[in-house]
Amino acid sequence: MTKLIIGCGYVGLPVAQKWLEQGHTVYALTRSEKRASEFKNLGLKPIEGDITQPESLKSLPSTDTVLYAVGFDRSANQTRHDIYVTGLNHVLSEIKNRTRKIIYLSSTSVYGQTMGEWVDETSPCEPERENGKICLEAERLFEKQRLISKREDHNSASAVILRLAGIYGPGRLLARMEQIKAGEPLLGRPDAYLNLIHVTDIVNTILRCDADIPLESHYLVSDNYPMTRQEYYETLAQMIDAPLPQFAVKESDQPELKSKRNHSTERAAGLNKRCSNKRLREGLGIELVYPTIREGLPDATQTLGDT
């Protein structure tokens, strides 16, 4: 079968490698000539193009499955709206009628709950932060395009939205490692919840969604145990033999921390909800390799000695 990955990065690349192992032909879109060469050396079929430049997308092939896994690149001189909404619209306009299945990676930032409530796929999405609002706008665009496609062609693509919790894994930790090692205070509420998911379990979820099985329209992809920031950082500190963390609840308490802010962690901390993965486990049949951070952190920290 043929696959196309738009956003072949931290999540997309291991999916590509799994698909190659299964004998599929895998295309990958990239803006970079250097990255295209790297993809080719891995056995992928690179396509040079930019989601913000619709004319560059004309050569996208017809495929059995499309994985849309585009993240925000702060160095690209593009706004979040340019990437998440306008870029998505350009891609869907090209490929929505030329693939059988589209797997779209979204974010749990579409939820706006702030009181530690449990949320699932049926919970209201009323984000207050810009990132969440843009992610929700992109989801609605994706759903609208899918519905238009279905009205036009009864054999059109099935589509699924995966709302990912905070992604971690080797080389990617929701942590300020140097601050923890130095015993510096961390910004944010220690009692706010973090919802996390290991990259391995995201890859397995995508592969499961690519199987020939009935799918719900949305899945919340998070591990089994939402953890407070205090519990998370204390667990991490113990693993790396660092001092137990201290917290500066207000930015005004530690203004110098502003420049060191880890944006992914702060977004997760500020929203303060608990994500239920019941549909993921019971409906989709996913058995998590790393059901909690306690199993996942040892794997994620194994490369720290090299950094």
Side-chain angles (χ1 to χ4, degrees):
M1 301 179 73
T2 56
K3 315 292 183 181
L4 169 63
I5 299 179
I6 310 233
C8 196
Y10 189 70
V11 173
L13 187 56
V15 173
Q17 291 169 330
K18 289 291 186 180
W19 275 338
L20 287 174
E21 291 172 6
Q22 295 171 357
H24 303 305
T25 299
V26 184
Y27 296 88
L29 182 71
T30 178
R31 293 178 292 127
S32 164
E33 183 177 345
K34 178 182 177 182
R35 192 71 167 154
S37 177
E38 293 172 354
F39 287 162
K40 187 174 182 179
N41 289 337
L42 292 172
L44 307 178
K45 293 185 176 298
I47 302 170
E48 291 189 43
D50 187 331
I51 63 172
T52 66
Q53 304 296 323
E55 291 302 316
S56 72
L57 304 176
K58 299 298 183 182
S59 61
L60 290 178
S62 298
T63 56
D64 295 290
T65 306
V66 173
L67 170 63
Y68 194 92
V70 173
F72 181 61
D73 181 357
R74 292 183 175 85
S75 67
N77 296 319
Q78 302 282 350
T79 68
R80 291 183 185 275
H81 196 274
D82 290 336
I83 300 298
Y84 289 145
V85 180
T86 306
L88 174 64
N89 189 43
H90 291 159
V91 171
L92 290 177
S93 296
E94 285 296 327
I95 57 91
K96 68 179 182 181
N97 293 320
R98 288 192 274 131
T99 186
R100 294 196 298 175
K101 181 175 290 184
I102 308 175
I103 302 170
Y104 176 71
L105 302 192
S106 182
S107 165
T108 57
S109 65
V110 297
Y111 299 105
Q113 287 79 352
T114 61
M115 302 299 291
E117 306 98 316
W118 282 97
V119 299
D120 62 15
E121 293 82 358
T122 66
S123 299
C125 293
E126 299 171 344
E128 296 184 358
R129 297 191 174 194
E130 180 188 17
N131 180 52
K133 290 179 179 179
I134 292 173
C135 286
L136 184 59
E137 183 180 354
E139 280 195 13
R140 288 173 174 167
L141 170 66
F142 182 80
E143 293 168 342
K144 179 181 178 181
Q145 291 278 30
R146 181 189 62 180
L147 291 172
I148 291 172
S149 180
K150 283 187 175 180
R151 286 198 298 269
E152 293 174 350
D153 179 1
H154 293 298
N155 295 319
S156 64
S158 61
V160 59
I161 294 173
L162 302 181
R163 290 174 175 163
L164 306 183
I167 304 169
Y168 77 100
R172 181 164 175 170
L173 277 172
L174 293 180
R176 302 192 194 97
M177 300 305 304
E178 295 306 316
Q179 278 183 263
I180 292 175
K181 291 178 181 178
E184 296 179 8
L186 301 172
L187 182 65
R189 291 174 49 190
D191 61 337
Y193 285 98
L194 288 172
N195 298 275
L196 305 172
I197 187 69
H198 194 285
V199 63
T200 296
D201 290 313
I202 299 173
V203 171
N204 290 342
T205 298
I206 292 168
L207 296 177
R208 179 65 174 163
C209 288
D210 192 38
D212 187 18
I213 58 173
L215 294 172
E216 299 282 355
S217 61
H218 298 73
Y219 291 95
L220 203 163
V221 186
S222 189
D223 71 16
N224 294 348
Y225 180 57
M227 179 179 284
T228 65
R229 295 181 73 240
Q230 180 166 351
E231 189 175 3
Y232 168 78
Y233 283 114
E234 286 180 352
T235 302
L236 180 59
Q238 291 169 1
M239 287 187 178
I240 63 174
D241 196 25
L244 290 179
Q246 303 296 317
F247 290 86
V249 177
K250 297 180 181 179
E251 189 171 290
S252 58
D253 295 340
Q254 288 284 329
E256 68 274 16
L257 295 182
K258 185 175 182 179
S259 63
K260 301 178 182 179
R261 181 181 296 172
N262 178 308
H263 294 271
S264 297
T265 303
E266 293 309 322
R267 286 199 301 271
L271 293 174
N272 196 24
K273 75 272 182 182
R274 286 178 284 178
C275 294
S276 169
N277 65 8
K278 182 178 180 180
R279 179 182 290 182
L280 180 77
R281 292 183 293 106
E282 298 182 5
L284 195 57
I286 293 295
E287 183 175 347
L288 297 176
V289 176
Y290 301 104
T292 77
I293 199 75
R294 297 188 185 281
E295 292 85 10
L297 269 182
D299 175 75
T301 58
Q302 65 184 352
T303 59
L304 287 180
D306 301 326
T307 60

